[in-house]
Amino acid sequence: MNQLKTLLAALLLTAPVSMSGQGAKNIVINEVMTNNTASIQDEFGQRDAWIELENTSFSTYNVRGMFMTTDRRVLDKSLSAPERIRLMTMIPSGEDRTQIGARRHLVLFANSRPTDGKLHLSLPVPMSEPVWIALYNGNGVELIDSVSVPALAADQSFARVGGRWKS
């Protein structure tokens, strides 16, 4: 009986720790290519700028309803959530691939043509200029991850390698 109580106590103490390790904070911007001329193609054979998200957790997480932006005005704390959301683009629902499995990746195209498909965001990403890219939670207020991408040459990506950003 004492062993059962000890086991239950251990489970109760570790459950909150393991549960808090999952969620939106485990979604990170992992790689960005702003000037895509010979890399990944979309379903129409187009080569647009792309952003790869990674789920670093050990459980599946759906990123639908999260927001992305390249507009630094969202950092202004005096803006309301609706004002910030107007400066962002939503990762749409209705696409199974937005459910990112454990330790998996999702590529989103940033080309300002969301009519091309569910993974195409209306997110302006300049080809040969530095750009700041941010990922926000579905509330439009909580910054999940961001990266300042330097100007990149054609087909050069900027990626996390061993926890550091490298081009």
Side-chain angles (χ1 to χ4, degrees):
M1 187 65 153
N2 283 339
Q3 288 178 335
L4 180 60
K5 286 181 184 179
T6 304
L7 178 62
L8 287 173
L11 286 172
L12 288 173
L13 289 173
T14 58
V17 172
S18 62
M19 288 172 56
S20 67
Q22 308 300 312
K25 287 288 187 180
N26 290 305
I27 304 300
V28 298
I29 300 169
N30 189 59
E31 188 171 6
V32 177
M33 182 176 284
T34 59
N35 190 356
N36 179 12
T37 63
S39 180
I40 299 172
Q41 292 182 347
D42 68 10
E43 55 270 46
F44 300 102
Q46 300 294 313
R47 289 187 168 93
D48 294 306
W50 52 263
I51 300 159
E52 179 188 76
L53 300 180
E54 179 183 5
N55 178 357
T56 63
S57 75
F58 292 99
S59 63
T60 299
Y61 191 81
N62 200 329
V63 297
R64 74 170 187 264
M66 293 177 82
F67 293 94
M68 298 198 76
T69 188
T70 57
D71 193 330
R72 285 185 179 268
R73 292 180 293 170
V74 298
L75 297 171
D76 182 348
K77 299 288 185 199
S78 69
L79 293 178
S80 67
E83 289 170 323
R84 286 181 186 188
I85 288 171
R86 280 194 288 274
L87 301 172
M88 302 178 191
T89 185
M90 183 186 287
I91 298 172
S93 58
E95 171 56 60
D96 291 340
R97 292 174 287 179
T98 61
Q99 188 137 312
I100 308 174
R103 312 301 242 178
R104 300 286 183 175
H105 302 88
L106 172 68
V107 172
L108 299 168
F109 294 97
N111 57 13
S112 298
R113 287 190 321 265
T115 55
D116 281 356
K118 297 281 186 186
L119 299 181
H120 292 259
L121 304 178
S122 180
L123 186 69
V125 175
M127 286 177 65
S128 302
E129 299 172 26
V131 62
W132 176 74
I133 301 172
L135 175 67
Y136 276 81
N137 207 346
N139 61 16
V141 176
E142 184 184 4
L143 177 64
I144 302 300
D145 194 22
S146 68
V147 61
S148 292
V149 180
L152 298 172
D155 299 314
Q156 180 183 22
S157 72
F158 193 60
R160 287 182 201 255
V161 178
R164 295 179 172 254
W165 283 95
K166 296 185 179 185
S167 52

